[in-house]
Amino acid sequence: MKSPTTRRPMGSARDAAEAAFKAATAKPAAELPVAKAPPLPNAKELVSIRLDREVLAHFQEAGAGWQERINTALRKAAGL
């Protein structure tokens, strides 16, 4: 009767080495950089927002500067 042999784990040695490297070099979530507030007061921030087509058309009717008009209306609505 043959003696039992130990089986090698599934996967290649390269896969094991890549997994070990990834684990050793990956930053834990706690160490990832946190987004900071803009350094300048009253700085604008680029965002994406979904608006009703009618709302967008209303602000674009007067031509250029429609984004600033939306910003002004939002500030007024927020009481700022």
Side-chain angles (χ1 to χ4, degrees), residues 4-5 10 12 14 18 28-30 33-34 39 48 52 56-57 62 67-69 80:
T5 58
M10 297 296 283
S12 69
R14 180 184 176 116
E18 286 178 355
V34 178
S48 176
D52 292 337
L56 186 59
Q67 293 169 321
E68 186 60 36
R69 289 190 293 277
L80 301 174

Side-chain angles (χ1 to χ4, degrees), residues 2 19 21 25 28-29 39 42 47 49-50 56-57 66 68 70:
K2 290 184 176 180
F21 179 78
T25 59
N42 299 322
V47 297
I49 184 171
R50 293 181 181 270
L56 186 59
W66 61 270
E68 186 60 36
I70 290 175

Side-chain angles (χ1 to χ4, degrees), residues 49 51 59 68-80:
I49 184 171
L51 302 172
F59 284 98
E68 186 60 36
R69 289 190 293 277
I70 290 175
N71 189 60
T72 301
L74 288 172
R75 289 182 62 82
K76 184 177 179 182
L80 301 174

